[in-house]
Amino acid sequence: WHDAFAYAQIKTEWKAPRLPLHLYLSARFLGDARGQLDAGLGPQFLSERSLILGVGVSTPVKHGLSAWFEAGEMLRYRQTPADASRMKPDYRGGISYAKGFGNLLRPESHGPFYEFTADGVFASQFQNDMLAYSQHRAGYTWGGRVQALWNWHATIDSKLQYWANIAETGPGIRVRVAAPLTVSVNFLRGLYLRGGSPYGANYDEIRVGLWYAVTK
């Protein structure tokens, strides 16, 4: 898509002493630089391009597993011809699982590693769609700062949309620049698992990302 995407979230959480759930307030920003793409199917909008304010509940992470649900309001900073509303209710939730083995990206790690994440996400903004995706990475860590790795990713959805049913694989590198900042570069070969793509059955992608996170 030759596009740059941004996702940011700030969240404050209250851990009730006798409840198995955490209550939180959240503000999310989702946007991209290009905005609109015409691939022969009419205008395609590549992100929500909005600020989302929400109230949610989440479970504590246990054995790598957690769940959450959030209700809020989407405030669009850029409208689309299909929906000119500035504000819209937003409901989303999901289940997440993450597990890592070996020498993960942390100080003094050196040697092979493997990590796996799986998520199921419901999003009302995508026609009440349910998406499930898994990501596998295996490789080698040097000095707790650099990883050479191989990716295996898969995504499916309940609406059977072409862009949400894919499989990807390819090499990558991840560098821990500082404690909260990580840079990744991945070279992926992808396959659309369903018909309807205007790009053909396969695609090649260079995916560059910056990840920054702090907790207080």
Side-chain angles (χ1 to χ4, degrees), residues 1 37 39-41 44 160-166 190-204:
W1 291 325
L37 173 72
L41 300 174
Q44 306 288 303
L160 304 180
Q161 302 180 84
Y162 85 86
W163 57 266
N165 290 266
I166 57 175
L191 170 68
Y192 291 105
L193 302 177
R194 297 191 60 83
S197 166
Y199 307 103
N202 296 95
Y203 61 90
D204 295 297

Side-chain angles (χ1 to χ4, degrees), residues 6 10 24 31 45 57 86 97 113 118 124 145-147 167 169 172 184 197-199 202 204 208:
I10 184 169
Y24 67 85
F45 297 92
V57 294
R86 281 287 185 183
Y97 177 77
F113 78 94
S124 64
R145 299 185 67 88
V146 179
Q147 287 181 330
T169 188
S184 63
S197 166
Y199 307 103
N202 296 95
D204 295 297
V208 181

